[in-house]
Amino acid sequence: LVLPGHSTRRIVVALYNYNAREETDVSFVKGDRMEVLDDTESDWWRVVHLKTRQEGLIPWNFVAEDRSVNSEEYVPYICWFFENVSRKEADKLLLANENPRGTFLVRPSEHNPNGFSLSVKDWEESRGYHVKHYKIKPLDNGGYYIATNQTFPSLPALVMAYSKNALGLCHVLSSPCPKPQPQVWDLGPELRDKWEINRNEIQLLRKLGHGNFGEVYYGKWRNNIEVAVKTLREGTMSTQAFLQEAAIMKKFRHSRLVALYAVCSKEEPIYIVQEYMSKGSLLDFLRTGDGQFLQFEDLIYIAAQVASGMEYLELKQLIHRDLAARNVLIGENNVAKICDFGLARVIADDEYCPKQGSRFPVKWTAPEAIVYGKFSIKSDVWSYGILLMELFTYGQVPYPGMHSREVIEQIERGYRMPKPTAHHLPDDIYSLMLKCWDAIPDKRPTFEFLNHYFQNFTITSEVPYREVQD
Ligand code: ADP
Ligand code: MG
């Protein structure tokens, strides 16, 4: 028998600290508990804070369900559960230096819709630090197991047991993997659909770079939130067209696309306020930044992230048109995100017209797009192939020594960039590039394929006892 009113109470626990940005939202610190009053809005939930009794809005992805309310055993909050993490990302998170052996996380299985995977950081004399992944299989009548002789009624029970005793795992589970700060998609609850903001609230602090359409600055919003501000030189594009495009961009959300926070379009120059990416463009990162020291597997990780963002655009049927290392941004821990997407197609036509002006990125553009203006997701795949070459040569200019006109002519005759001699590039990846540069667009791979290819690239052939590929 459940008491009316009580059964529907939903308590959440804060996973991170959050400082209120507006009157309407509620501050909290990690571990605080709140009751959810309304979760119908996708990003901002109305809650009442159980300690301060303050009522207001909170970003939903800063909290997790408090299982102590409705589960047999006490689990304050499921800090070890990573809902949207792939095998490769799990490797990346767990291998961070500060994590000791036995650091772990649980994630949904990429292959079994009802199963999960347990990823554990381990160490061996021969391999050094590495991550092992175990399949967690569901039982027909509820519950889970890794080994058939050890079954558990729930995931928390399983984790609890393997935290006390390795029971055949590589190592006892020591501590949950620290979670990265969740993505914030807008500046505050009042701004969720109103992305026009007051430009007085933006402070431009430092020039980051020079774009085709204006300067880019590092800045802060309300002296608090770090942002990147792209300014658009007057007359580069129609405000109307730009705002239309910004509205679309705001709707596309993916962890591998730079988030558009807001715009200031009431006066010139127009500001585009974006998520700040601390390491700048992939191109500069590879040529002169920390990217010069990346290992081969880090390059694979970046290739996978870009493919993942592009897979999302492919699914949403959005064409990027200007995919290149200069339009990928790098943040902490080699996180890569695609930027400038969708902008190319609203630029006043004569400014970005094929064949005219040196600005047209000939070396990145598929021949059918150069010659007939036929841009498609398949012309983006071509550009992705060029980006891969930039990546594996640490930012070399494509077709070194060749002029744009020469490139167009040679490509039409079947010429393709040769395999670099000065950098390590496995034959398999080079032949994948050649597939991206197939003269027939439909024969080029999909981004879904490319993402899968790079996500699984480094899986070793050697699979230790009970470790499974998942
Ligand atoms: P354009 O629209 O002309 O291509 P970009 O977006 O490439 O302009 O910006 C120019 C430069 O500004 C980039 O190479 C990068 O160094 C910097 N930049 C742009 N956006 C950001 C951002 N969100 N975070 C950090 N740096 C950025
Ligand atoms: Mg750019």
Side-chain angles (χ1 to χ4, degrees):
L1 200 85
V2 283
L3 298 171
H6 183 77
S7 61
T8 53
R9 275 188 78 185
R10 227 175 112 205
I11 309 295
V12 290
V13 178
L15 301 179
Y16 315 91
N17 300 340
Y18 177 76
N19 288 324
R21 301 167 182 189
E22 297 176 49
E23 297 284 289
T24 48
D25 49 339
V26 176
S27 298
F28 50 81
V29 294
K30 188 174 168 176
D32 281 358
R33 298 170 74 223
M34 289 157 275
E35 180 177 349
V36 179
L37 305 177
D38 181 2
D39 64 358
T40 52
E41 289 282 339
S42 56
D43 294 333
W44 296 90
W45 287 357
R46 178 162 295 283
V47 300
V48 56
H49 193 296
L50 295 183
K51 209 156 59 195
T52 66
R53 303 309 301 175
Q54 200 195 342
E55 193 183 314
L57 298 168
I58 59 160
W60 70 278
N61 53 356
F62 279 61
V63 298
E65 299 292 331
D66 183 354
R67 294 305 171 95
S68 62
V69 180
N70 47 20
S71 101
E72 318 93 59
E73 76 243 12
Y74 181 72
V75 180
Y77 48 88
I78 302 198
C79 47
W80 39 260
F81 189 69
F82 286 53
E83 189 150 17
N84 293 309
V85 158
S86 67
R87 179 190 173 104
K88 229 186 183 70
E89 286 163 341
D91 285 350
K92 194 78 201 162
L93 291 167
L94 288 165
L95 288 176
N97 279 339
E98 62 271 22
N99 296 333
R101 191 174 173 188
T103 302
F104 70 99
L105 60 83
V106 175
R107 58 190 170 85
S109 161
E110 286 171 49
H111 305 297
N112 178 356
N114 300 316
F116 297 90
S117 296
L118 171 65
S119 304
V120 189
K121 181 171 182 176
D122 195 21
W123 186 88
E124 279 167 22
E125 184 82 48
S126 56
R127 291 170 79 184
Y129 279 110
H130 60 278
V131 175
K132 292 197 170 101
H133 303 271
Y134 298 90
K135 238 173 217 165
I136 303 179
K137 293 187 180 152
L139 288 159
D140 290 339
N141 47 359
Y144 297 94
Y145 68 95
I146 294 177
T148 42
N149 61 349
Q150 296 277 351
T151 67
F152 303 96
S154 65
L155 285 179
L158 180 147
V159 167
M160 195 84 83
Y162 286 107
S163 303
K164 290 192 185 117
N165 189 322
L167 302 167
L169 288 191
C170 59
H171 195 272
V172 66
L173 304 181
S174 59
S175 52
C177 186
K179 278 189 178 169
Q181 276 271 337
Q183 174 78 45
V184 173
W185 296 105
D186 42 32
L187 294 168
E190 277 177 6
L191 296 165
R192 67 198 122 166
D193 297 316
K194 177 184 154 275
W195 31 275
E196 179 73 41
I197 58 168
N198 190 337
R199 80 172 57 211
N200 302 331
E201 294 178 351
I202 295 281
Q203 278 177 288
L204 303 182
L205 295 171
R206 175 163 55 88
K207 195 166 141 182
L208 289 173
H210 204 85
N212 275 322
F213 311 106
E215 249 108 63
V216 185
Y217 294 89
Y218 166 78
K220 288 208 166 165
W221 177 73
R222 293 191 184 167
N223 285 320
N224 181 11
I225 311 293
E226 291 190 305
V227 292
V229 182
K230 276 175 82 162
T231 62
L232 291 187
R233 250 195 329 271
E234 302 180 26
T236 40
M237 63 175 85
S238 100
T239 310
Q240 192 64 39
F242 167 70
L243 288 180
Q244 231 166 18
E245 196 62 39
I248 298 170
M249 281 173 71
K250 192 101 176 86
K251 269 191 248 150
F252 289 109
R253 286 180 173 193
H254 189 268
S255 58
R256 299 297 170 234
L257 304 180
V258 170
L260 173 80
Y261 288 154
V263 297
C264 307
S265 65
K266 296 264 193 278
E267 296 157 50
E268 305 251 26
I270 291 177
Y271 286 179
I272 306 170
V273 185
Q274 297 180 339
E275 165 183 14
Y276 172 62
M277 299 289 289
S278 58
K279 302 286 173 79
S281 84
L282 172 61
L283 188 61
D284 297 338
F285 179 70
L286 291 170
R287 285 184 179 172
T288 54
D290 298 345
Q292 297 172 86
F293 314 109
L294 289 184
Q295 303 288 309
F296 179 72
E297 65 196 56
D298 300 319
L299 301 179
I300 296 287
Y301 179 54
I302 290 174
Q305 294 177 80
V306 176
S308 159
M310 289 308 298
E311 181 186 6
Y312 174 81
L313 294 192
E314 180 174 77
L315 192 75
K316 299 285 176 185
Q317 300 186 311
L318 197 78
I319 307 165
H320 189 292
R321 297 185 188 215
D322 197 8
L323 186 59
R326 62 182 170 274
N327 285 332
V328 170
L329 296 170
I330 303 293
E332 297 302 314
N333 298 319
N334 299 336
V335 161
K337 301 190 182 198
I338 300 163
C339 71
D340 269 10
F341 72 101
L343 270 189
R345 65 177 171 171
V346 295
I347 306 310
D349 263 355
D350 51 337
E351 297 246 4
Y352 220 70
C353 179
K355 289 178 278 188
Q356 287 174 11
S358 55
R359 272 205 229 135
F360 187 74
V362 166
K363 289 184 172 183
W364 282 262
T365 307
E368 75 279 5
I370 296 181
V371 180
Y372 308 109
K374 278 190 72 179
F375 287 91
S376 66
I377 196 70
K378 292 301 183 192
S379 57
D380 281 349
V381 172
W382 179 290
S383 311
Y384 178 79
I386 305 289
L387 185 152
L388 286 180
M389 190 61 94
E390 293 182 276
L391 183 62
F392 289 103
T393 59
Y394 292 82
Q396 215 173 66
V397 180
Y399 310 94
M402 287 169 78
H403 291 296
S404 295
R405 173 136 304 279
E406 204 182 336
V407 170
I408 299 177
E409 283 167 10
Q410 293 290 338
I411 288 293
E412 288 284 278
R413 289 199 201 117
Y415 173 84
R416 297 295 184 264
M417 233 187 301
K419 193 177 136 159
T421 46
H423 296 95
H424 171 60
L425 180 64
D427 287 333
D428 205 48
I429 296 182
Y430 179 63
S431 64
L432 184 74
M433 290 177 188
L434 292 176
K435 286 187 189 126
C436 293
W437 303 329
D438 198 300
I440 302 165
D442 283 342
K443 284 199 176 167
R444 296 170 201 157
T446 60
F447 281 113
E448 186 189 7
F449 173 86
L450 292 163
N451 182 24
H452 202 258
Y453 178 90
F454 284 109
Q455 290 284 352
N456 295 297
F457 191 82
T458 48
I459 294 177
T460 51
S461 49
E462 150 223 30
V463 179
Y465 177 59
R466 279 179 58 195
E467 187 190 351
V468 289
Q469 295 191 7
D470 191 35

